[in-house]
């Protein structure tokens, strides 16, 4: 007997947030280009994920070749800083963890100012492992205090920012 298909509620995404995210990705790309580091933009259409993995993984936005290190993944976000820190969606973090495990890659969130300022933060995915989940606005989230994130300036060389992030 066929079970009725249960549909999950989809979160409504504000078009202004989509535009800010696209702008953050472009700013990050420009920073990478100026660093003359090899990098690939990962196209985000559902067709680029094998059918059995759809809904189970989230691809990062960029794969960056770091000399002497190898391939590192960055998921770029236009993130507002709240009093409790940077807020991440648990479901998105879990899907990125699955990606990191399947592809044996270190993944960072590159959290850029949604207003386009030069200040940003990098958060290595595993920094969120011990952060307790809290329900906010109907979904589970993780709040990482800013002192646990690595501040970066988009005016500094990308490679130097990466070297600082590894030293943490």
């Amino acid at each position: 007997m066929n079970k009725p298909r249960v549909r999950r509620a989809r979160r409504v995404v504000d078009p202004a947030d989509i535009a800010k995210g696209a702008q953050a990705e472009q700013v990050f790309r420009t920073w990478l280009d100026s660093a003359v580091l090899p990098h690939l933009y990962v196209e985000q259409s559902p067709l680029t994920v094998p059918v059995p993995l759809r809904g189970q993984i989230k691809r990062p936005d960029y794969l960056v070749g770091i000399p002497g290190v190898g391939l590192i993944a960055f998921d770029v976000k236009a993130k507002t800083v709240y009093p409790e820190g940077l807020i991440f969606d648990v479901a998105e973090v879990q899907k990125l963890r699955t990606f990191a495990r399947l592809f044996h890659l270190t993944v960072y969130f590159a959290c850029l100012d949604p207003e386009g300022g030069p200040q940003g933060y990098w958060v290595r995915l595993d920094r969120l492992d011990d952060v307790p989940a809290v329900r906010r606005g109907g979904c589970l989230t993780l709040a990482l205090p800013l002192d646990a994130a690595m501040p970066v300036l988009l005016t500094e060389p990308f490679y130097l920012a990466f070297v600082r992030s590894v030293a943490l």
Side-chain angles (χ1 to χ4, degrees):
M1 183 170 201
N2 290 339
K3 291 183 183 179
R5 185 175 160 162
V6 178
R7 289 188 167 199
R8 285 191 266 165
R10 293 192 135 196
R11 215 174 317 154
V12 177
V13 180
D14 183 352
D17 290 341
I18 293 171
K20 286 179 182 179
Q23 178 62 30
E25 288 176 14
Q26 179 56 51
V27 167
F28 193 80
R29 177 183 300 126
T30 300
W31 194 24
L32 283 172
D33 286 346
S34 69
V36 194
L37 287 173
H39 59 278
L40 299 171
Y41 173 74
V42 180
E43 205 277 315
Q44 299 293 315
S45 95
L47 297 175
T48 63
V49 175
V51 173
L53 292 177
R54 289 186 189 162
Q56 295 181 40
I57 66 170
K58 183 199 182 306
R59 288 142 306 159
D61 296 303
Y62 290 93
L63 300 176
V64 181
I66 306 290
V69 174
L71 201 58
I72 304 294
F74 285 88
D75 197 48
V76 180
K77 299 290 179 201
K79 284 271 186 209
T80 300
V81 175
Y82 294 97
E84 54 268 57
L86 297 166
I87 310 275
F88 298 90
D89 179 276
V90 167
E92 182 177 41
V93 168
Q94 289 171 336
K95 290 174 185 177
L96 267 173
R97 283 181 178 140
T98 301
F99 174 89
R101 180 178 47 81
L102 290 173
F103 289 91
H104 300 278
L105 287 176
T106 299
V107 176
Y108 282 82
F109 282 105
C111 304
L112 304 185
D113 181 353
E115 302 306 318
Q119 175 74 42
Y121 296 91
W122 283 0
V123 175
R124 203 175 61 217
L125 186 60
D126 62 0
R127 299 283 291 177
L128 298 170
D129 288 351
D130 297 323
V131 176
V134 174
R135 189 163 297 281
R136 289 180 180 85
C139 68
L140 283 176
T141 63
L142 305 171
L144 185 76
L146 280 186
D147 63 356
M150 191 195 87
V152 295
L153 284 173
L154 300 175
T155 55
E156 71 180 308
F158 185 94
Y159 184 76
L160 291 180
F162 180 78
V163 169
R164 278 193 309 106
S165 77
V166 174
L168 290 179

